Amino acid sequence: SMLAQAAMHEMGIAFELIDSLKTICSQNGVTKLKSVTLNLGEASLVVPRYMSDCWTAATLDTGFAKTELKIKIIPAKGRCNECGKVFLIAKHDRKCPKCGSENNFVPISGMEVEIAEIEAE
């Protein structure tokens, strides 16, 4: 199905997250996690809705089944190649608000997919 294919990326991330969390928990003697907050860059190609669904599916038979996944969207910023201005890519529709250059920037943030916070029970 389309959804299964589209969500393959997110499923892989969900499994990686579970592995990371297992390590973090054992290193810190934590047995139960209440929630985990994920920083998701706007430009990371991860679809938040798919990520949530995949998290639910991937954690079903694990110790993280009751762990809530919180998603924090990190806005993507770019630096204009023409004038050097740093701007929010989506907000300005990929166009530099200073010099008007279109699609001419280097992304400098908003690509991350990382654990930001963990809340133990």
Side-chain angles (χ1 to χ4, degrees):
S1 75
M2 263 312 278
L3 179 74
Q5 245 176 339
M8 272 315 286
H9 183 57
E10 285 77 7
M11 204 66 192
I13 293 169
F15 286 123
E16 279 171 35
L17 269 179
I18 291 168
D19 283 343
S20 304
L21 291 173
K22 279 179 185 162
T23 306
I24 292 166
C25 285
S26 66
Q27 282 171 351
N28 296 282
V30 173
T31 47
K32 286 192 100 174
L33 284 188
K34 196 174 172 185
S35 74
V36 54
T37 303
L38 198 60
N39 276 353
L40 262 197
E42 265 181 347
S44 69
L45 303 179
V46 173
V47 181
R49 189 167 52 90
Y50 289 168
M51 193 64 238
S52 299
D53 290 348
C54 289
W55 174 255
T56 305
T59 55
L60 215 49
D61 299 318
T62 72
F64 301 112
K66 300 241 184 304
T67 304
E68 183 196 354
L69 179 69
K70 296 178 180 176
I71 293 175
K72 196 172 157 199
I73 305 290
I74 308 296
K77 287 181 184 169
R79 181 182 291 112
C80 178
N81 287 326
E82 203 62 50
C83 73
K85 168 137 182 89
V86 171
F87 64 98
L88 290 166
I89 299 168
K91 186 183 173 200
H92 293 287
D93 224 10
R94 307 179 67 84
K95 186 176 176 178
C96 176
K98 192 176 172 192
C99 73
S101 269
E102 281 192 67
N103 285 316
N104 185 13
F105 58 86
V106 180
I108 55 170
S109 77
M111 281 85 70
E112 56 278 294
V113 178
E114 63 197 11
I115 295 172
E117 214 178 295
I118 288 169
E119 194 185 350
E121 293 225 335

